[in-house]
Each structure stands twice: as structure tokens, then as C-alpha cells.
Amino acid sequence: MSKIRSVIRGVGSYLPEKVMTNDDLASFVDTSDEWIRKRTGISRRHIAAEGELTSDLGYHAAVRALGNAGIDASEVDLIIMATTTPDNTFPATATKLQSKLGLSGCAAFDIQAVCTGFIYALAQADNMLRLGQARTALVVGAEIYSRILDWEDRGTCVLFGDGAGAVVLRAEESNGAEHPRGVLSTTLGADGAYYDMLYVDGGPATTGTAGYVRMQGQDVFRQAVHRMSETVTKVLADQGLGLDDLDWLIPHQANLRIIEQVGRKLGIDRDRVVVTLQEHANTSAATIPLALTHGVERQLFKPGDVLGMTAMGGGFSWGAALIRW
Ligand code: ACO
């Protein structure tokens, strides 16, 4: 039976030019390269230049994803941008990206689910493609966390960086294939009772400022391990699959110890887990498409491989997506 599937046709990522190493950080914050690497696995992060906007980072990643797909921007009829650090409170940064791409008319909107944003955006695009509401979607995660960090709070500022990643998703007929490519299933969740554990202490309706990231690290850590492993198990079960069927794990890149614990809980070999956070730290909604692009560039995935993506973030929010490559 023929069925519409959302297939990833192209991927791309972008990191700002300026690199800030752990040693650079230690020159103005009470921390050390050894502490950061041991507790988080992070070695460096990229910092957006003055005047560089989230829409700029998203634009570079989107252009690379379209190039990788061999698809012209004019074919895009849906743009979803996952970001917690929009250019402005409104309009949606996706509309600025749309205009930078020379497009007009198609739906373009932002999704705010913090570090889970890319999974939320992918799920939304997948649903719209399968319903026939669009044919070619650009799904982008882009963030400039350096502008919402308290650079005197060593408990948070060492963890984050700036960056963007994008995928081009296309609605395709499965033509009765036994194991069709594309998004197989997604799951999303949230619980606002955890607000205090990870939030930004500002906003248009509260302080009138953008605010800074505040976090209770150990609680976030525990919840991340629990939710990320639980959601991968769920998307596999939704397809009648088990952990043995998972070929690659592409987790949100927040902390190497979180990733290792999730990998252990799922029983997946370390060399089947894509890890890039040492290069860019936690770029929130951008980490999964950054890691996916890294995997594609190194030709890690072969056709038919089952990829599990999972994230947890502020809210708390959490989610996973299962994809047949
Ligand atoms: N440099 C040096 N020392 C530090 C630093 C730092 N940057 N930050 C904290 N410390 C000190 C603390 O003050 C404490 O000192 P003390 O023992 O004298 O009191 C000591 O290091 C241990 O602190 P802990 O908070 O217990 O360290 P922990 O091992 O829990 O690591 C960390 C902290 C890295 C924040 C960890 O809890 C974590 O990664 N949590 C997850 C947070 C996260 O990933 N958030 C991102 C957003 S959510 C998401 O993406 C899933």
C-alpha cells in the first residue's frame, strides 16, 4: 500500500567563526579546562559575532542543507525554526530566514521547546507533510545562547554555545516498500511543574529583558537520562521494534555523561552514538541537526539504518524521533 513518508533529503550545519576554548573561559570565570572536560566532555564552543543573528546562523545551515539535498530554495513550502533565542520577540525568526532565502508566501513559524525544539519541529513538519499540507519542509534549529548566559555563573556559562543545523524534509510515496525510508514515528512530552529547574529569568511579559539561563544542574541531569532513554524506547515500541533494532543514537548534546548513561540504559555500543558536543557545547535546539550532519558527512549511516534522535530540555520538555535512513 502506498503511503506518504517524510524523508530527509539533505542536512547542513553552521558554527560561527569565533571559537572560545575552555582555557579562554577560565581566563575570566573561576573554572578550568580539566573540570569542564571531566564533568561535561566539552572542549570548546563557538560564539556568534557582534551583529550576527540567529536567522543568519539558520540561513547558513539551511543553504547547506538545500545544497546537500540538491533542492532549490524555491521548492520549499514550509519553514519551521526551533529556537529559544529568536532575533526579536516577534516576528518569528523563521519569517526572517524565509526572506533571507528569497522566499515568500509559504508557512513559516518558530517552535519554542528549548533543547527539545528540533524534535518538536521535526514532528510538526512530519505531520504536515503526511497530511499533504506541504511537500518540502525546511526544519532548522538555530541558537545564540551566548546572549542569554550569565557569564559570571560558572554553573551554566561553561555548558552552552552558538550554532545551527537544518534538514530538508520531503513528502515521498513509499510505493509499497517493505521498509520505507523516512520518519517512522515521533513522540513529544512536557511537564511545566519542572519550571524552576531550568528557565530564563526574563521575558517580554515579566522583566521586559531577555534574561539569563538558570538551572539546577543535577536535577536536570537525572531527568535528561530518564526522559531521553524512555522516549527512544517508546518510538521503537510504536513501530513494533526493540532496542536491538536501533542502529544509531543521535542524542541531544548537553553533557557527555548524560549521553553515556542514556547509551548504557539503551544497551547501544558507544561507537553507534553520535557525539559532537566537544566541538560546540550545548547549542540547544541545534545540537541534533549538528550531530546528524556530522554523521552524514562522515558517511556513518547506511541505507536502511534505524536512527533514534532524542532530547530533553527546559519546561521540562522531551521527545524522540525514529528515522529509517
Ligand atoms: N568549574 C569549576 N567548578 C565548578 C563549575 C565550573 N564550571 N561549576 C560548578 N563547579 C563546582 C561546584 O561549585 C561544586 O563545588 P563544591 O563541591 O565545592 O560545592 C562542584 O563543582 C560540583 O558541582 P556539581 O554541581 O555537583 O557538579 P556536577 O557533577 O553535578 O556537574 C553539571 C554540574 C555539569 C552542570 C551537571 O550537573 C550537568 O551537566 N547537568 C545537566 C545540565 C545540563 O545539561 N543543562 C543543559 C540544559 S538541559 C539539557 O540540555 C538536557
mmCIF file of all heavy atoms in Angstrom, residues 29-32 35-36 39-40 115 154-155 158-160 198 215-218 220-221 224 228 252-255 257-258 282 312-314, ligand 1:
data_model
loop_
_atom_site.group_PDB
_atom_site.id
_atom_site.type_symbol
_atom_site.label_atom_id
_atom_site.label_comp_id
_atom_site.label_asym_id
_atom_site.label_seq_id
_atom_site.Cartn_x
_atom_site.Cartn_y
_atom_site.Cartn_z
ATOM 1 N N VAL A 29 36.426 33.305 34.089
ATOM 2 C CA VAL A 29 35.462 32.656 35.001
ATOM 3 C C VAL A 29 36.260 31.696 35.883
ATOM 4 O O VAL A 29 37.271 31.142 35.426
ATOM 5 C CB VAL A 29 34.408 31.821 34.205
ATOM 6 C CG1 VAL A 29 33.355 31.245 35.144
ATOM 7 C CG2 VAL A 29 33.740 32.640 33.132
ATOM 8 N N ASP A 30 35.804 31.477 37.118
ATOM 9 C CA ASP A 30 36.503 30.580 38.038
ATOM 10 C C ASP A 30 36.208 29.126 37.661
ATOM 11 O O ASP A 30 35.337 28.475 38.243
ATOM 12 C CB ASP A 30 36.044 30.884 39.479
ATOM 13 C CG ASP A 30 36.787 30.033 40.493
ATOM 14 O OD1 ASP A 30 37.819 29.436 40.121
ATOM 15 O OD2 ASP A 30 36.318 29.949 41.653
ATOM 16 N N THR A 31 36.917 28.657 36.644
ATOM 17 C CA THR A 31 36.744 27.269 36.184
ATOM 18 C C THR A 31 38.056 26.796 35.576
ATOM 19 O O THR A 31 39.062 27.521 35.610
ATOM 20 C CB THR A 31 35.588 27.188 35.158
ATOM 21 O OG1 THR A 31 35.298 25.820 34.894
ATOM 22 C CG2 THR A 31 35.910 27.901 33.845
ATOM 23 N N SER A 32 38.068 25.573 35.036
ATOM 24 C CA SER A 32 39.296 25.075 34.402
ATOM 25 C C SER A 32 38.929 24.135 33.267
ATOM 26 O O SER A 32 37.843 23.540 33.257
ATOM 27 C CB SER A 32 40.154 24.317 35.427
ATOM 28 O OG SER A 32 39.460 23.141 35.820
ATOM 29 N N TRP A 35 38.159 20.669 34.675
ATOM 30 C CA TRP A 35 36.831 20.498 35.286
ATOM 31 C C TRP A 35 35.774 20.352 34.181
ATOM 32 O O TRP A 35 34.938 19.445 34.219
ATOM 33 C CB TRP A 35 36.481 21.695 36.192
ATOM 34 C CG TRP A 35 35.258 21.431 37.045
ATOM 35 C CD1 TRP A 35 35.237 20.975 38.335
ATOM 36 C CD2 TRP A 35 33.880 21.579 36.654
ATOM 37 N NE1 TRP A 35 33.937 20.832 38.777
ATOM 38 C CE2 TRP A 35 33.087 21.195 37.758
ATOM 39 C CE3 TRP A 35 33.226 21.981 35.496
ATOM 40 C CZ2 TRP A 35 31.697 21.210 37.755
ATOM 41 C CZ3 TRP A 35 31.834 21.984 35.467
ATOM 42 C CH2 TRP A 35 31.084 21.610 36.590
ATOM 43 N N ILE A 36 35.822 21.233 33.207
ATOM 44 C CA ILE A 36 34.772 21.222 32.179
ATOM 45 C C ILE A 36 34.824 19.928 31.378
ATOM 46 O O ILE A 36 33.787 19.281 31.141
ATOM 47 C CB ILE A 36 34.885 22.456 31.242
ATOM 48 C CG1 ILE A 36 34.771 23.755 32.045
ATOM 49 C CG2 ILE A 36 33.801 22.408 30.167
ATOM 50 C CD1 ILE A 36 35.078 25.019 31.240
ATOM 51 N N ARG A 39 33.681 16.882 33.683
ATOM 52 C CA ARG A 39 32.259 16.858 34.088
ATOM 53 C C ARG A 39 31.288 16.905 32.926
ATOM 54 O O ARG A 39 30.129 16.561 33.076
ATOM 55 C CB ARG A 39 31.948 18.054 34.996
ATOM 56 C CG ARG A 39 32.766 18.147 36.250
ATOM 57 C CD ARG A 39 32.232 17.232 37.317
ATOM 58 N NE ARG A 39 33.060 17.325 38.519
ATOM 59 C CZ ARG A 39 32.594 17.338 39.731
ATOM 60 N NH1 ARG A 39 31.301 17.251 39.956
ATOM 61 N NH2 ARG A 39 33.412 17.408 40.759
ATOM 62 N N THR A 40 31.764 17.403 31.750
ATOM 63 C CA THR A 40 30.803 17.587 30.649
ATOM 64 C C THR A 40 31.250 16.993 29.319
ATOM 65 O O THR A 40 30.407 16.739 28.460
ATOM 66 C CB THR A 40 30.546 19.092 30.385
ATOM 67 O OG1 THR A 40 31.712 19.669 29.778
ATOM 68 C CG2 THR A 40 30.207 19.851 31.656
ATOM 69 N N CYS A 115 15.675 22.809 24.430
ATOM 70 C CA CYS A 115 16.595 21.831 23.824
ATOM 71 C C CYS A 115 15.859 20.729 23.053
ATOM 72 O O CYS A 115 16.473 20.007 22.268
ATOM 73 C CB CYS A 115 17.492 21.210 24.897
ATOM 74 S SG CYS A 115 18.541 22.423 25.711
ATOM 75 N N ARG A 154 29.402 30.254 36.710
ATOM 76 C CA ARG A 154 30.186 29.157 36.140
ATOM 77 C C ARG A 154 29.380 27.862 36.025
ATOM 78 O O ARG A 154 29.753 26.939 35.300
ATOM 79 C CB ARG A 154 31.448 28.908 36.967
ATOM 80 C CG ARG A 154 31.179 28.356 38.355
ATOM 81 C CD ARG A 154 32.470 28.104 39.095
ATOM 82 N NE ARG A 154 32.213 27.506 40.406
ATOM 83 C CZ ARG A 154 33.153 27.082 41.206
ATOM 84 N NH1 ARG A 154 34.424 27.196 40.854
ATOM 85 N NH2 ARG A 154 32.863 26.535 42.373
ATOM 86 N N GLY A 155 28.279 27.791 36.782
ATOM 87 C CA GLY A 155 27.434 26.583 36.736
ATOM 88 C C GLY A 155 26.670 26.453 35.420
ATOM 89 O O GLY A 155 26.185 25.371 35.082
ATOM 90 N N VAL A 158 29.581 27.657 31.183
ATOM 91 C CA VAL A 158 30.556 26.766 30.546
ATOM 92 C C VAL A 158 29.875 25.732 29.637
ATOM 93 O O VAL A 158 30.542 25.051 28.853
ATOM 94 C CB VAL A 158 31.409 26.018 31.612
ATOM 95 C CG1 VAL A 158 32.093 27.011 32.536
ATOM 96 C CG2 VAL A 158 30.582 25.014 32.405
ATOM 97 N N LEU A 159 28.544 25.618 29.762
ATOM 98 C CA LEU A 159 27.845 24.492 29.120
ATOM 99 C C LEU A 159 27.355 24.752 27.699
ATOM 100 O O LEU A 159 27.060 23.804 26.972
ATOM 101 C CB LEU A 159 26.623 24.082 29.969
ATOM 102 C CG LEU A 159 26.889 23.675 31.416
ATOM 103 C CD1 LEU A 159 25.562 23.416 32.126
ATOM 104 C CD2 LEU A 159 27.756 22.425 31.463
ATOM 105 N N PHE A 160 27.200 26.030 27.327
ATOM 106 C CA PHE A 160 26.457 26.330 26.097
ATOM 107 C C PHE A 160 27.314 26.998 25.028
ATOM 108 O O PHE A 160 28.373 27.559 25.315
ATOM 109 C CB PHE A 160 25.267 27.244 26.423
ATOM 110 C CG PHE A 160 24.250 26.602 27.329
ATOM 111 C CD1 PHE A 160 24.333 26.762 28.709
ATOM 112 C CD2 PHE A 160 23.214 25.841 26.815
ATOM 113 C CE1 PHE A 160 23.404 26.172 29.562
ATOM 114 C CE2 PHE A 160 22.276 25.250 27.655
ATOM 115 C CZ PHE A 160 22.370 25.415 29.034
ATOM 116 N N LEU A 198 14.961 24.693 35.279
ATOM 117 C CA LEU A 198 15.671 25.163 34.082
ATOM 118 C C LEU A 198 14.806 26.216 33.401
ATOM 119 O O LEU A 198 13.752 25.885 32.848
ATOM 120 C CB LEU A 198 15.911 23.962 33.150
ATOM 121 C CG LEU A 198 16.703 24.197 31.877
ATOM 122 C CD1 LEU A 198 18.048 24.837 32.149
ATOM 123 C CD2 LEU A 198 16.892 22.885 31.140
ATOM 124 N N MET A 215 19.557 27.273 36.337
ATOM 125 C CA MET A 215 19.444 25.817 36.249
ATOM 126 C C MET A 215 19.849 25.120 37.535
ATOM 127 O O MET A 215 20.756 25.567 38.214
ATOM 128 C CB MET A 215 20.381 25.357 35.119
ATOM 129 C CG MET A 215 20.381 23.890 34.842
ATOM 130 S SD MET A 215 21.625 23.513 33.599
ATOM 131 C CE MET A 215 23.098 23.631 34.569
ATOM 132 N N GLN A 216 19.127 24.048 37.852
ATOM 133 C CA GLN A 216 19.568 23.154 38.918
ATOM 134 C C GLN A 216 20.146 21.919 38.226
ATOM 135 O O GLN A 216 19.411 21.000 37.856
ATOM 136 C CB GLN A 216 18.399 22.790 39.827
ATOM 137 C CG GLN A 216 17.847 24.006 40.582
ATOM 138 C CD GLN A 216 16.656 23.668 41.441
ATOM 139 O OE1 GLN A 216 16.531 22.571 41.960
ATOM 140 N NE2 GLN A 216 15.761 24.636 41.594
ATOM 141 N N GLY A 217 21.468 21.946 38.050
ATOM 142 C CA GLY A 217 22.134 21.001 37.156
ATOM 143 C C GLY A 217 21.877 19.535 37.433
ATOM 144 O O GLY A 217 21.620 18.755 36.519
ATOM 145 N N GLN A 218 21.939 19.147 38.708
ATOM 146 C CA GLN A 218 21.853 17.707 38.983
ATOM 147 C C GLN A 218 20.456 17.157 38.713
ATOM 148 O O GLN A 218 20.302 16.016 38.270
ATOM 149 C CB GLN A 218 22.284 17.428 40.423
ATOM 150 C CG GLN A 218 23.786 17.650 40.567
ATOM 151 C CD GLN A 218 24.327 17.298 41.936
ATOM 152 O OE1 GLN A 218 23.574 16.938 42.840
ATOM 153 N NE2 GLN A 218 25.625 17.419 42.105
ATOM 154 N N VAL A 220 18.362 18.387 36.496
ATOM 155 C CA VAL A 220 18.239 18.351 35.034
ATOM 156 C C VAL A 220 18.929 17.094 34.501
ATOM 157 O O VAL A 220 18.395 16.384 33.647
ATOM 158 C CB VAL A 220 18.872 19.611 34.409
ATOM 159 C CG1 VAL A 220 18.902 19.510 32.891
ATOM 160 C CG2 VAL A 220 18.120 20.865 34.839
ATOM 161 N N PHE A 221 20.102 16.817 35.043
ATOM 162 C CA PHE A 221 20.886 15.655 34.613
ATOM 163 C C PHE A 221 20.063 14.365 34.755
ATOM 164 O O PHE A 221 19.914 13.593 33.794
ATOM 165 C CB PHE A 221 22.156 15.581 35.473
ATOM 166 C CG PHE A 221 23.183 14.595 34.991
ATOM 167 C CD1 PHE A 221 24.380 15.024 34.450
ATOM 168 C CD2 PHE A 221 22.960 13.223 35.083
ATOM 169 C CE1 PHE A 221 25.339 14.127 33.991
ATOM 170 C CE2 PHE A 221 23.907 12.321 34.633
ATOM 171 C CZ PHE A 221 25.100 12.766 34.092
ATOM 172 N N ALA A 224 17.118 14.207 32.381
ATOM 173 C CA ALA A 224 17.561 14.048 30.989
ATOM 174 C C ALA A 224 17.832 12.577 30.682
ATOM 175 O O ALA A 224 17.383 12.053 29.664
ATOM 176 C CB ALA A 224 18.797 14.908 30.726
ATOM 177 N N MET A 228 15.280 10.858 28.037
ATOM 178 C CA MET A 228 15.874 10.561 26.726
ATOM 179 C C MET A 228 15.861 9.058 26.461
ATOM 180 O O MET A 228 15.564 8.630 25.340
ATOM 181 C CB MET A 228 17.281 11.157 26.631
ATOM 182 C CG MET A 228 17.236 12.682 26.469
ATOM 183 S SD MET A 228 18.802 13.531 26.743
ATOM 184 C CE MET A 228 19.791 12.946 25.402
ATOM 185 N N HIS A 252 20.541 14.571 21.988
ATOM 186 C CA HIS A 252 20.819 15.972 22.299
ATOM 187 C C HIS A 252 22.181 16.042 22.989
ATOM 188 O O HIS A 252 22.488 15.230 23.863
ATOM 189 C CB HIS A 252 19.707 16.510 23.209
ATOM 190 C CG HIS A 252 20.012 17.848 23.785
ATOM 191 N ND1 HIS A 252 20.466 18.898 23.016
ATOM 192 C CD2 HIS A 252 19.948 18.310 25.064
ATOM 193 C CE1 HIS A 252 20.664 19.948 23.787
ATOM 194 N NE2 HIS A 252 20.360 19.622 25.034
ATOM 195 N N GLN A 253 23.001 17.007 22.576
ATOM 196 C CA GLN A 253 24.379 17.096 23.066
ATOM 197 C C GLN A 253 24.455 18.132 24.192
ATOM 198 O O GLN A 253 24.646 19.323 23.927
ATOM 199 C CB GLN A 253 25.309 17.495 21.920
ATOM 200 C CG GLN A 253 25.100 16.728 20.627
ATOM 201 C CD GLN A 253 25.797 15.383 20.607
ATOM 202 O OE1 GLN A 253 26.959 15.286 21.001
ATOM 203 N NE2 GLN A 253 25.101 14.349 20.173
ATOM 204 N N ALA A 254 24.250 17.675 25.434
ATOM 205 C CA ALA A 254 24.307 18.591 26.572
ATOM 206 C C ALA A 254 25.513 18.275 27.446
ATOM 207 O O ALA A 254 26.220 19.171 27.889
ATOM 208 C CB ALA A 254 23.033 18.502 27.395
ATOM 209 N N ASN A 255 25.719 16.977 27.698
ATOM 210 C CA ASN A 255 26.780 16.557 28.607
ATOM 211 C C ASN A 255 27.152 15.124 28.233
ATOM 212 O O ASN A 255 26.261 14.267 28.107
ATOM 213 C CB ASN A 255 26.243 16.630 30.048
ATOM 214 C CG ASN A 255 27.303 16.284 31.075
ATOM 215 O OD1 ASN A 255 28.055 15.319 30.911
ATOM 216 N ND2 ASN A 255 27.367 17.059 32.146
ATOM 217 N N ARG A 257 28.380 12.832 29.937
ATOM 218 C CA ARG A 257 27.967 11.836 30.938
ATOM 219 C C ARG A 257 26.484 11.489 30.790
ATOM 220 O O ARG A 257 26.082 10.355 31.015
ATOM 221 C CB ARG A 257 28.277 12.347 32.351
ATOM 222 C CG ARG A 257 29.790 12.395 32.632
ATOM 223 C CD ARG A 257 30.065 12.762 34.073
ATOM 224 N NE ARG A 257 29.606 14.095 34.381
ATOM 225 C CZ ARG A 257 28.969 14.458 35.500
ATOM 226 N NH1 ARG A 257 28.709 13.555 36.426
ATOM 227 N NH2 ARG A 257 28.600 15.698 35.700
ATOM 228 N N ILE A 258 25.656 12.471 30.399
ATOM 229 C CA ILE A 258 24.234 12.180 30.133
ATOM 230 C C ILE A 258 24.152 11.212 28.943
ATOM 231 O O ILE A 258 23.464 10.194 28.988
ATOM 232 C CB ILE A 258 23.442 13.473 29.810
ATOM 233 C CG1 ILE A 258 23.377 14.385 31.035
ATOM 234 C CG2 ILE A 258 22.033 13.128 29.320
ATOM 235 C CD1 ILE A 258 22.670 15.735 30.792
ATOM 236 N N ASN A 282 26.627 22.757 24.299
ATOM 237 C CA ASN A 282 25.179 22.590 24.148
ATOM 238 C C ASN A 282 24.627 23.774 23.345
ATOM 239 O O ASN A 282 24.595 24.895 23.832
ATOM 240 C CB ASN A 282 24.540 22.525 25.537
ATOM 241 C CG ASN A 282 23.046 22.268 25.484
ATOM 242 O OD1 ASN A 282 22.432 22.356 24.422
ATOM 243 N ND2 ASN A 282 22.457 21.952 26.624
ATOM 244 N N MET A 312 15.910 16.322 25.767
ATOM 245 C CA MET A 312 15.166 16.803 26.928
ATOM 246 C C MET A 312 15.613 18.231 27.165
ATOM 247 O O MET A 312 16.792 18.555 26.944
ATOM 248 C CB MET A 312 15.512 15.946 28.143
ATOM 249 C CG MET A 312 14.470 15.846 29.220
ATOM 250 S SD MET A 312 14.310 17.150 30.459
ATOM 251 C CE MET A 312 15.925 17.499 31.062
ATOM 252 N N GLY A 313 14.698 19.090 27.573
ATOM 253 C CA GLY A 313 15.101 20.468 27.804
ATOM 254 C C GLY A 313 14.166 21.194 28.741
ATOM 255 O O GLY A 313 13.301 20.582 29.393
ATOM 256 N N GLY A 314 14.331 22.502 28.804
ATOM 257 C CA GLY A 314 13.541 23.334 29.722
ATOM 258 C C GLY A 314 12.058 23.134 29.512
ATOM 259 O O GLY A 314 11.587 22.842 28.422
HETATM 260 N N1 ACO B 1 34.092 24.989 37.107
HETATM 261 C C1 ACO B 1 34.607 24.542 38.251
HETATM 262 N N2 ACO B 1 33.875 24.125 39.276
HETATM 263 C C2 ACO B 1 32.539 24.152 39.131
HETATM 264 C C3 ACO B 1 31.915 24.609 37.961
HETATM 265 C C4 ACO B 1 32.745 25.056 36.913
HETATM 266 N N3 ACO B 1 32.272 25.494 35.764
HETATM 267 N N4 ACO B 1 30.571 24.533 38.109
HETATM 268 C C5 ACO B 1 30.360 24.018 39.341
HETATM 269 N N5 ACO B 1 31.542 23.807 39.963
HETATM 270 C C6 ACO B 1 31.779 23.263 41.289
HETATM 271 C C7 ACO B 1 30.604 23.419 42.206
HETATM 272 O O1 ACO B 1 30.606 24.683 42.819
HETATM 273 C C8 ACO B 1 30.860 22.302 43.192
HETATM 274 O O2 ACO B 1 31.820 22.710 44.111
HETATM 275 P P1 ACO B 1 31.760 22.250 45.645
HETATM 276 O O3 ACO B 1 31.875 20.747 45.610
HETATM 277 O O4 ACO B 1 32.917 22.952 46.257
HETATM 278 O O5 ACO B 1 30.417 22.717 46.138
HETATM 279 C C9 ACO B 1 31.471 21.198 42.351
HETATM 280 O O6 ACO B 1 31.963 21.851 41.152
HETATM 281 C C10 ACO B 1 30.489 20.117 41.938
HETATM 282 O O7 ACO B 1 29.320 20.737 41.427
HETATM 283 P P2 ACO B 1 28.093 19.899 40.961
HETATM 284 O O8 ACO B 1 27.002 20.827 40.549
HETATM 285 O O9 ACO B 1 27.789 18.858 41.982
HETATM 286 O O10 ACO B 1 28.711 19.186 39.686
HETATM 287 P P3 ACO B 1 28.072 18.110 38.755
HETATM 288 O O11 ACO B 1 28.950 16.927 38.694
HETATM 289 O O12 ACO B 1 26.619 17.892 39.047
HETATM 290 O O13 ACO B 1 28.180 18.810 37.347
HETATM 291 C C11 ACO B 1 26.869 19.979 35.722
HETATM 292 C C12 ACO B 1 27.484 20.028 37.081
HETATM 293 C C13 ACO B 1 27.953 19.817 34.688
HETATM 294 C C14 ACO B 1 26.122 21.290 35.483
HETATM 295 C C15 ACO B 1 25.905 18.769 35.650
HETATM 296 O O14 ACO B 1 25.027 18.767 36.745
HETATM 297 C C16 ACO B 1 25.087 18.792 34.376
HETATM 298 O O15 ACO B 1 25.622 18.716 33.290
HETATM 299 N N6 ACO B 1 23.771 18.806 34.493
HETATM 300 C C17 ACO B 1 22.921 18.845 33.328
HETATM 301 C C18 ACO B 1 22.725 20.245 32.952
HETATM 302 C C19 ACO B 1 22.502 20.465 31.507
HETATM 303 O O16 ACO B 1 22.953 19.736 30.661
HETATM 304 N N7 ACO B 1 21.817 21.540 31.210
HETATM 305 C C20 ACO B 1 21.636 21.957 29.878
HETATM 306 C C21 ACO B 1 20.237 22.287 29.568
HETATM 307 S S1 ACO B 1 19.164 20.900 29.731
HETATM 308 C C22 ACO B 1 19.634 19.820 28.662
HETATM 309 O O17 ACO B 1 20.180 20.207 27.675
HETATM 310 C C23 ACO B 1 19.384 18.381 28.927
#
